[in-house]
Amino acid sequence: MRSSDIRTTFLDFFRERDHRAVPSSPLVPSDPTLLLANAGMNQFKPYFLGEAEPGHPRAMSVQKCVRTSDIENVGRTARHTTFFEMLGNFSFGDYFKQEAISWSWELLTEHFGLDPGRLWVTVYLDDDESVRLWRRIGVPSDRIQRLGMKDNYWSMGIPGPCGPSSELHYDRGPRYGPEGGPAVNGERYQELWNLVFMQNLRGEGPAKEGYPILGELPAKNIDTGLGLDRLAAILQDADGVCETDLVGPTLRLVRELADRDDEPVSARIVAEHSRSIAFLIADGVLPSPDGRGHVLRRLMRRAILHARRIGIDDALAPLTASVVAGLGETWPELASHAELIRRVVTSEEEGFERTLRQGTRFLDTAISRSSGTISGETAFTLHDSYGFPIDLTLDAARSAGLTVDEDRFGELVEERRRRAHDAGRDTKRTAVARRDLYRRLLAEHGRTEFVGHDTTEAETRILALAGRADASAGDEAEVILDRSPFYAESGGQVGDTGEIRTPTGTLRVLDTRPELGLHVHTVRVVDGDVRPGVPGHAVVDADRRAATARSHSATHVLHAMLRRVLGDHAAQRGSRVEPGRLRFDFAHFSPVDTAPVQTLVNDYLLDDPQVRVWEASRGEAEAAGALALFGEKYDETVRIVDIGDASRELCGGTHVAHGTQTGPVHIIGESSIGTGLRRIEALTGADALRHYDHEHAVLTELANLLDAPPDQLTRRIEVLVEAQRELKALQRKRLDDLVTALASAPEHHPGGRLIARIVDVPDLRAVATKLLPHADAVVLGARHDGKAALVAALGPGLDAPESDLVARASRGVGVGAGGQGRV
């Protein structure tokens, strides 16, 4: 059964059981506690926690996932991958264990045709109910094994929803390992489907030690994950996941390109990583030194090194193109970002070539200096700074008859991992604590009603002050209102400022941000005091809001014109929308001439296109061609902003009503901010006009200084620059002639050769340095503005300090002397 048929069979099965299909979320999650999407349930986390209501109590999805926790096993086992597709069915307080268990068994045995006699089940230690349910559908007791928290109690790896799980495993036969079930051998008894009974809340603590369970979730939920790669390997009778139709075409290309076929592990690593690389780039991840960009860079460097190990140079471009060709129909983002993927991998591979040369020299030096063992520190530097996997260092050492201190290397890797984990844990702990606080407020008071799309003023009531009972004049606090006209920062647009007037005091709103459906207003109490429960009148700074709206509409049009000029790969990768100015990050690989882009933007806005805002379901918006931004989280009902026929984007921000209201857009900068990532900065409206005025004033001042009309300034400055260049050349020649003349006639003394002269040059040190190879000592003097200057320089063979020479010379001209060491 092909992978496309597996997906269809799965979705059809659960569609018949009243599950609603939900598209895969991007690999870049909206959850700030996650680096990359690692499970099908990630996007449903708010439903499990009771923070949001699902549109339907049952869901199903095919979710893109990336996990690198087992990266060292990729290629070495039949089941490990860094990228995988997770088939999942979900219940949000609807059905529970009985349906999840019976449906999984029915689908695997009756629709996918797996032999029931080769299926094993694991359950959590004390989950007697699941054991009874498995026995009821015919699984014998000797194929049901009880395992502990490490194996059968699932969480996201961080505090949040969790619960006991039950897993279905398939016995692949004796050639994959010994008997004994999943508890003995995970390679032979391959895990296929994890059924998580999501009913608890996990606290802080490492999984391997058993994290604390804080209590029950608002409802009992189901979260399941069936690995498409692993099921495909079984249904296609493949040796492993890399031999299926998901990765197999790319693996075959690897073998065609390779000069050798005796490194099957390297071949599988290259093919598997190429798929991960293509999907990560298509979902907006670009290589960088940290964060998710570091994950991508690590995958790319591992793939490059293993490709070279089997004789393939410049491997990633053709191999990721193979991924796009094989999976682009199923995952259209691959096809639409094919050019971006090609450019990113080509650029990174070229850059890594330089790093690789440096690392190879470093390794060669370490080998030449080693008497028997390469230190763990050296191996770690190669691994951490140069991207060398430890197995390549081991191979190089083995070829030279050396060993590597692998124990010390492992300690350093673990130390680095622990530091990163501790730092991440602190960040996550802060984020979790803050979310817990606002979750309680949300449960007590509900979501903030945002009315700011229709008005800049509203009657409101102060529901709560975050973390305090009240605040008085001069205090800063975080205030939650029951309804608010203040836009909370999101989608790149800054939060609104303004004022809240209450019977007891006046508050200046400094910023507004969203938290779990609440608008959190950072305020300073201007006078009086503030406490929960009092009514108020909220007023947005209307001029600032209008200037921000101009920048936001201009950003949409700029995005559209960049794509028109450069191609669809020039998609938004970030933005900052502020009053009168904007910053726009986009994918591209070379500097952009912004003049034609600016002209297109302003010409289009001058045509005064109408700005239309409408709402639709996510499916309707996608069908209408609305652009969604990577990393942004959207509800089932979305807001769409059309600007004429040029731009259609999902957007919750504020906008002008017509194009001309943005005023002019003036691009003031374009630069690189990373591999394949560019940034444009621009001014809008009155700020753009003020900048034009300033530039005109500078131009006028230059014209007056150079006594030339503005349209002749460029030529006049070119003449001056050329004259300055010629003058510097003459000065260099004069200096060289002087050095040649002085060097030709040193004075010979018992202590060595001496050059001592009075010269007419401003930089005595430069002349002395140039003369030193021609003499053992140099003393130069000069007269500047009625003052004497002396410099002495000694060659390495003389022990006397330069200051002695300068002191003796200075007595002849009646001045003091000092020194700063040898030239």
Side-chain angles (χ1 to χ4, degrees):
M1 184 181 284
R2 293 184 57 78
S3 56
S4 57
D5 298 323
I6 297 174
R7 294 189 198 94
T8 300
T9 300
F10 179 88
L11 295 174
D12 286 347
F13 180 88
F14 283 103
R15 188 175 289 109
E16 291 171 359
R17 288 154 183 78
D18 196 27
H19 288 65
R20 178 176 294 174
V22 177
S24 172
S25 67
L27 288 170
V28 178
S30 58
D31 188 335
T33 65
L34 285 175
L35 194 64
L36 292 164
N38 63 4
M41 61 76 61
N42 289 167
Q43 64 176 316
F44 303 122
K45 180 180 171 184
Y47 302 153
F48 293 135
L49 291 172
E51 297 172 354
E53 288 292 327
H56 193 71
R58 301 181 180 187
M60 58 183 177
S61 69
V62 181
Q63 175 65 47
K64 299 174 293 187
C65 300
V66 166
R67 295 181 192 169
T68 57
S69 54
D70 293 321
I71 192 171
E72 299 300 334
N73 290 324
V74 171
R76 303 180 187 281
T77 71
R79 58 195 170 100
H80 284 98
T81 61
T82 55
F83 173 89
F84 56 93
E85 296 179 43
M86 185 68 82
L87 310 174
N89 59 288
F90 307 89
S91 166
F92 312 115
D94 187 22
Y95 62 83
F96 200 48
K97 289 184 181 180
Q98 180 174 334
E99 292 86 349
I101 287 173
S102 62
W103 286 341
S104 65
W105 186 262
E106 179 185 353
L107 181 56
L108 288 182
T109 59
E110 297 181 21
H111 294 262
F112 289 127
L114 297 186
D115 179 359
R118 299 178 72 171
L119 288 171
W120 288 63
V121 171
T122 59
V123 300
Y124 186 55
L125 286 172
D126 61 1
D127 190 356
D128 297 331
E129 180 186 3
S130 290
V131 172
R132 286 195 299 271
L133 291 170
W134 286 116
R135 290 285 296 111
R136 187 182 302 168
I137 62 174
V139 182
S141 298
D142 60 359
R143 281 195 277 118
I144 301 174
Q145 295 183 326
R146 296 177 184 258
L147 300 177
M149 178 172 276
K150 180 178 181 296
D151 297 289
N152 277 99
Y153 205 100
W154 193 90
S155 79
M156 296 167 61
I158 56 175
C162 65
S165 69
S166 183
E167 296 172 338
L168 282 149
H169 304 254
Y170 185 80
D171 181 1
R172 303 202 71 192
R175 74 187 181 103
Y176 287 93
E179 295 181 348
V184 173
N185 189 302
E187 191 69 10
R188 171 173 172 172
Y189 300 90
Q190 190 169 109
E191 177 196 339
L192 285 181
W193 204 340
N194 189 12
L195 314 179
V196 181
F197 311 125
M198 197 73 79
Q199 61 192 60
N200 301 117
L201 188 65
R202 170 184 170 167
E204 184 73 47
K208 64 182 179 181
E209 297 174 10
Y211 43 80
I213 305 302
L214 301 181
E216 300 289 321
L217 293 174
K220 291 186 175 182
N221 312 283
I222 289 294
D223 155 33
T224 86
L226 170 61
L228 174 62
D229 293 78
R230 295 181 179 183
L231 181 58
I234 292 169
L235 295 179
Q236 295 171 17
D237 195 26
D239 288 337
V241 292
C242 289
E243 284 75 21
T244 67
D245 65 338
L246 292 160
V247 187
T250 304
L251 180 59
R252 286 193 292 274
L253 179 58
V254 170
R255 289 170 174 158
E256 289 173 13
L257 297 173
D259 289 338
R260 50 193 290 189
D261 60 2
D262 59 342
E263 293 285 354
V265 171
S266 288
R268 288 195 290 267
I269 288 172
V270 174
E272 195 283 330
H273 284 10
S274 294
R275 180 175 60 160
S276 302
I277 291 162
F279 272 95
L280 283 167
I281 296 171
D283 269 12
V285 181
L286 293 173
S288 67
D290 48 30
R292 54 182 65 97
H294 176 69
V295 174
L296 173 60
R297 177 164 282 169
R298 183 186 181 197
L299 288 168
M300 295 173 82
R301 292 187 169 184
R302 285 189 99 242
I304 292 167
L305 286 167
H306 280 280
R308 293 183 177 215
R309 187 174 186 175
I310 56 178
I312 309 176
D313 293 326
D314 303 321
L316 293 184
L319 295 177
T320 52
S322 167
V323 174
V324 173
L327 296 171
E329 186 175 346
T330 302
W331 300 101
E333 59 268 33
L334 288 175
S336 62
H337 291 89
E339 178 61 14
L340 176 65
I341 294 168
R342 184 189 69 79
R343 293 191 179 194
V344 170
V345 299
T346 300
S347 175
E348 186 69 12
E349 195 152 11
E350 289 172 354
F352 186 45
E353 173 66 32
R354 295 187 291 272
T355 303
L356 196 60
R357 286 196 298 267
Q358 295 169 352
T360 301
R361 287 196 295 269
F362 183 83
L363 178 57
D364 290 344
T365 300
I367 289 173
S368 67
R369 293 177 177 175
S370 176
S371 57
T373 301
I374 294 175
S375 70
E377 285 77 8
T378 296
F380 179 75
T381 299
L382 284 163
H383 167 80
D384 199 50
S385 301
Y386 298 104
F388 274 56
I390 183 62
D391 53 352
L392 293 188
T393 303
L394 289 170
D395 284 349
R398 195 176 299 118
S399 299
L402 304 172
T403 60
V404 177
D405 187 348
E406 294 183 69
D407 291 341
R408 178 56 179 158
F409 170 80
E411 291 172 1
L412 292 168
V413 171
E414 176 60 22
E415 183 180 320
R416 186 185 189 281
R417 187 204 63 78
R418 187 169 56 251
R419 285 200 306 268
H421 177 268
D422 291 344
R425 184 171 59 188
D426 291 341
T427 302
K428 290 174 183 176
R429 184 183 293 116
T430 301
V432 168
R434 189 178 66 191
R435 289 173 70 88
D436 285 346
L437 171 64
Y438 291 114
R439 190 178 293 121
R440 290 196 296 271
L441 293 174
L442 181 68
E444 293 173 10
H445 304 295
R447 290 171 170 258
T448 303
E449 180 189 357
F450 176 57
V451 296
H453 284 312
D454 304 314
T455 182
T456 56
E457 296 188 31
E459 298 302 321
T460 186
R461 180 174 295 277
I462 294 178
L463 293 179
L465 276 69
R468 59 194 303 169
D470 54 28
S472 54
D475 289 344
E476 284 196 10
E478 293 184 340
V479 169
I480 294 89
L481 308 176
D482 64 344
R483 62 200 302 264
S484 174
F486 295 96
Y487 181 83
E489 178 175 349
S490 62
Q493 179 175 329
V494 297
D496 277 336
T497 62
E499 195 171 75
I500 303 172
R501 307 184 192 107
T502 76
T504 61
T506 303
L507 316 177
R508 177 63 189 167
V509 179
L510 307 175
D511 190 20
T512 311
R513 73 176 193 275
E515 289 284 356
L516 301 179
L518 301 173
H519 282 214
V520 179
H521 308 79
T522 302
V523 304
R524 179 179 292 116
V525 183
V526 178
D527 57 59
D529 56 38
V530 60
R531 58 184 180 275
V534 300
H537 183 71
V539 182
V540 174
D541 184 333
D543 289 341
R544 185 177 183 274
R545 160 76 75 82
T548 305
R550 287 193 287 270
S551 295
H552 206 152
S553 297
T555 300
H556 282 219
V557 176
L558 173 63
H559 187 192
M561 296 309 160
L562 280 169
R563 288 163 63 90
R564 182 177 296 181
V565 171
L566 303 175
D568 287 343
H569 72 274
Q572 179 173 337
R573 290 293 182 264
S575 68
R576 179 75 173 174
V577 178
E578 299 177 331
R581 68 184 301 126
L582 64 92
R583 186 185 72 211
F584 187 79
D585 301 338
F586 60 100
H588 196 59
F589 277 84
S590 58
V592 176
D593 181 1
T594 58
V597 176
Q598 178 175 292
T599 299
L600 281 173
V601 170
N602 283 311
D603 285 351
Y604 190 80
L605 292 171
L606 279 172
D607 286 339
D608 202 27
Q610 182 182 0
V611 179
R612 185 170 75 94
V613 179
W614 51 291
E615 291 188 347
S617 69
R618 284 173 58 181
E620 291 168 336
E622 290 172 6
L627 288 179
L629 303 182
F630 287 119
E632 288 294 320
K633 185 178 180 182
Y634 300 102
D635 294 328
E636 287 300 317
T637 299
V638 293
R639 186 170 180 267
I640 301 134
V641 176
D642 290 346
I643 303 182
D645 60 358
S647 172
R648 172 170 286 174
E649 294 191 23
L650 304 187
C651 181
T654 60
H655 289 268
V656 299
H658 291 271
T660 53
Q661 292 174 348
T662 65
V665 176
H666 182 45
I667 296 176
I668 58 173
E670 193 276 342
S671 61
S672 170
I673 57 170
T675 304
L677 202 59
R678 311 291 301 178
R679 170 171 292 171
I680 281 179
E681 296 182 76
L683 302 174
T684 61
D687 290 83
L689 291 173
R690 281 190 286 270
H691 191 79
Y692 281 127
D693 289 342
H694 172 70
E695 288 184 329
H696 180 72
V698 171
L699 190 65
T700 301
E701 186 176 351
L702 280 173
N704 291 334
L705 284 171
L706 298 176
D707 191 23
D711 61 351
Q712 295 180 20
L713 278 176
T714 301
R715 179 56 189 155
R716 181 64 59 89
I717 292 173
E718 287 175 348
V719 170
L720 290 174
V721 169
E722 182 59 29
Q724 187 179 43
R725 188 178 295 118
E726 291 176 359
L727 179 60
K728 287 183 177 179
L730 287 172
Q731 290 172 337
R732 283 196 299 271
K733 185 177 185 307
R734 180 175 172 235
L735 188 65
D736 291 342
D737 290 345
L738 176 62
V739 169
T740 300
L742 294 176
S744 65
E747 299 176 18
H748 293 275
H749 296 271
R753 296 166 301 161
L754 170 68
I755 297 175
R757 295 287 190 277
I758 300 295
V759 295
D760 184 17
V761 293
D763 192 349
L764 294 179
R765 286 180 61 88
V767 178
T769 302
K770 287 177 176 289
L771 286 171
L772 203 53
H774 305 284
D776 299 297
V778 178
V779 180
L780 299 178
R783 300 183 182 90
H784 298 302
D785 299 326
K787 297 180 180 178
L790 292 170
V791 165
L794 292 181
L798 298 182
D799 295 329
E802 287 89 341
S803 56
D804 288 353
L805 277 178
V806 174
R808 293 176 62 186
S810 66
R811 285 195 291 271
V813 294
V815 299
Q820 296 183 351
R822 289 178 180 267
V823 173

